[in-house]
């Protein structure tokens, strides 16, 4: 029975990850892609259940490799997956604190499979409620990043996400080593939330600054085109005046010859 509950726990964790990835990816997954991705996630959940958080590394690598080859814009796909993973870690930390306060201690949650399954089911329900809204604003941000951020800033954003991911993984491994207490989880929540919020604000500001710069360049380019068009009109008008003047002189000369 305990093995069955652990199996159910792994599948529920895979569903939780699937929800985040589905709403954060910049494209809609097809049924076949959902099936393959869920299989990869479920396999990794079983691996994490056996070897602990060291299986997270294989989770990140295997899902990233799969997302690289199913659609274009590989960097955006991997970035969206990393952000979804960081989000689920931060969400899990905050949600476990709420569970610790209102339901049962974290130590009981980690030792009792039934309590853990109830915890994951309630987390899935909350994610199904909030993820459509978060995914909508995230896709809007991604479209702006693609439109207004150059390759150098893409590298900067990717490096920032990589650093954030390393910090999160380090704290996850330390938490597994020293044990998950309410104090350590609270510290992780503050650390992850602060870094994630600061990074998000920086990315938004960078995107807005580039948007303003590109809009200014477009206006300057439009003004230059208008100036060139005005100069061409003036040149054509001057040419037309010169032609009319020459034509008038020619008509007058011809009139004088006829009069003679």
């Amino acid at each position: 029975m305990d093995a069955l509950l652990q199996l159910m726990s792994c599948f529920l964790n895979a569903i939780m990850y699937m929800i985040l990835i589905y709403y954060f990816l910049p494209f809609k997954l097809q049924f076949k892609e959902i099936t393959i991705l869920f299989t990869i996630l479920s396999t990794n959940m079983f691996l994490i259940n056996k070897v602990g958080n060291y299986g997270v590394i294989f989770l990140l690598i295997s899902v990233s490799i799969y997302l690289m080859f199913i659609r274009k814009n590989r960097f955006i796909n991997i970035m969206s997956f990393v952000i979804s993973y960081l989000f689920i870690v931060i969400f899990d930390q905050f949600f476990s604190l709420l569970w610790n306060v209102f339901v049962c201690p974290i130590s009981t949650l980690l030792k009792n499979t039934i309590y853990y399954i109830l915890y994951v089911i309630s987390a899935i329900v909350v994610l199904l409620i909030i993820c459509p809204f978060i995914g909508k604003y995230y896709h809007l941000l991604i479209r702006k990043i693609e439109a207004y951020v150059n390759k150098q800033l893409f590298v900067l954003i990717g490096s920032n996400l990589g650093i954030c991911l390393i910090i999160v993984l380090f704290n996850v491994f330390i938490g597994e080593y020293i044990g998950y207490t309410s104090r350590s989880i609270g510290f992780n929540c503050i650390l992850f939330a602060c870094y994630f919020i600061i990074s998000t604000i920086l990315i938004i500001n960078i995107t807005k600054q580039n948007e303003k710069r590109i809009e200014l360049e477009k206006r300057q380019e439009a003004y230059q085109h208008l100036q060139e068009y005005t100069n061409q009109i003036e040149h054509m008008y001057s040419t037309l005046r010169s032609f009319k003047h020459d034509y008038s002189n020619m008509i007058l000369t011809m009139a004088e010859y006829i009069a003679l």
Side-chain angles (χ1 to χ4, degrees):
M1 184 66 181
D2 187 58
L4 181 61
L5 291 175
Q6 289 183 1
L7 183 67
M8 186 183 300
S9 174
C10 291
F11 275 115
L12 289 173
N13 274 290
I15 292 172
M16 188 162 61
Y17 275 85
M18 190 73 213
I19 293 170
L20 264 296
I21 296 172
Y22 179 82
Y23 282 107
F24 272 72
L25 283 177
F27 57 87
K28 292 295 183 182
L29 289 167
Q30 302 298 323
F31 178 77
K32 181 181 178 181
E33 295 168 343
I34 292 175
T35 304
I36 296 173
L37 184 57
F38 184 75
T39 303
I40 295 173
L41 290 171
S42 301
T43 304
N44 281 282
M45 292 303 113
F46 289 123
L47 181 62
I48 293 172
N49 188 52
K50 295 296 181 182
V51 302
N53 285 323
Y54 290 99
V56 173
I57 298 175
F58 188 75
L59 166 69
L60 295 171
I61 294 174
S62 58
V63 175
S64 296
I65 292 174
Y66 178 67
L67 294 177
M68 282 177 61
F69 295 102
I70 61 174
R71 289 290 193 282
K72 297 179 179 179
N73 297 328
R74 296 176 180 177
F75 181 83
I76 296 294
N77 296 346
I78 296 176
M79 185 179 75
S80 300
F81 168 59
V82 171
I83 291 175
S84 66
Y85 174 76
L86 294 175
F87 180 85
I88 202 169
V89 170
I90 296 173
F91 171 81
D92 183 61
Q93 298 286 330
F94 276 105
F95 198 69
S96 60
L97 279 180
L98 294 175
W99 191 276
N100 181 73
V101 173
F102 296 105
V103 183
C104 71
I106 297 172
S107 57
T108 304
L109 175 65
L110 295 175
K111 294 177 182 178
N112 192 308
T113 308
I114 295 178
Y115 272 109
Y116 185 73
I117 289 176
L118 293 175
Y119 167 83
V120 176
I121 291 174
S122 59
I124 288 173
V125 172
V126 175
L127 288 174
L128 285 173
I129 295 172
I130 66 175
C131 279
F133 301 99
I134 297 175
K136 179 181 178 181
Y137 288 106
Y138 172 74
H139 292 158
L140 179 62
L141 177 61
I142 286 296
R143 286 194 292 270
K144 285 193 173 183
I145 290 175
E146 288 182 311
Y148 299 108
V149 174
N150 54 34
K151 292 182 179 180
Q152 289 78 11
L153 289 176
F154 260 120
V155 173
L156 179 62
I157 293 172
S159 301
N160 179 68
L161 282 175
I163 294 172
C164 185
L165 180 61
I166 291 172
I167 293 173
V168 168
L169 290 176
F170 177 78
N171 280 272
V172 167
F173 290 145
I174 292 296
E176 185 182 34
Y177 179 75
I178 65 176
Y180 291 100
T181 63
S182 58
R183 182 174 296 181
S184 65
I185 291 177
F187 173 77
N188 286 338
C189 283
I190 295 172
L191 177 65
F192 298 161
C194 289
Y195 192 90
F196 196 77
I197 291 171
I198 292 172
S199 299
T200 303
I201 292 173
L202 287 175
I203 291 172
I204 292 174
N205 286 333
I206 289 173
T207 304
K208 286 184 177 180
Q209 291 299 323
N210 276 273
E211 182 178 0
K212 291 180 180 178
R213 178 181 59 80
I214 292 175
E215 289 295 332
L216 180 60
E217 290 177 353
K218 287 181 178 179
R219 289 180 183 177
Q220 291 176 345
E221 185 178 357
Y223 176 76
Q224 290 178 355
H225 288 164
L226 179 61
Q227 193 70 31
E228 292 175 359
Y229 176 75
T230 304
N231 292 335
Q232 289 177 357
I233 294 296
E234 290 179 353
H235 177 70
M236 292 173 62
Y237 180 70
S238 298
T239 303
L240 180 61
R241 285 181 58 189
S242 177
F243 173 77
K244 288 175 65 178
H245 182 267
D246 294 341
Y247 180 76
S248 297
N249 290 336
M250 184 177 65
I251 293 299
L252 289 174
T253 303
M254 292 176 63
E256 290 178 359
Y257 276 113
I258 293 172
L260 292 176

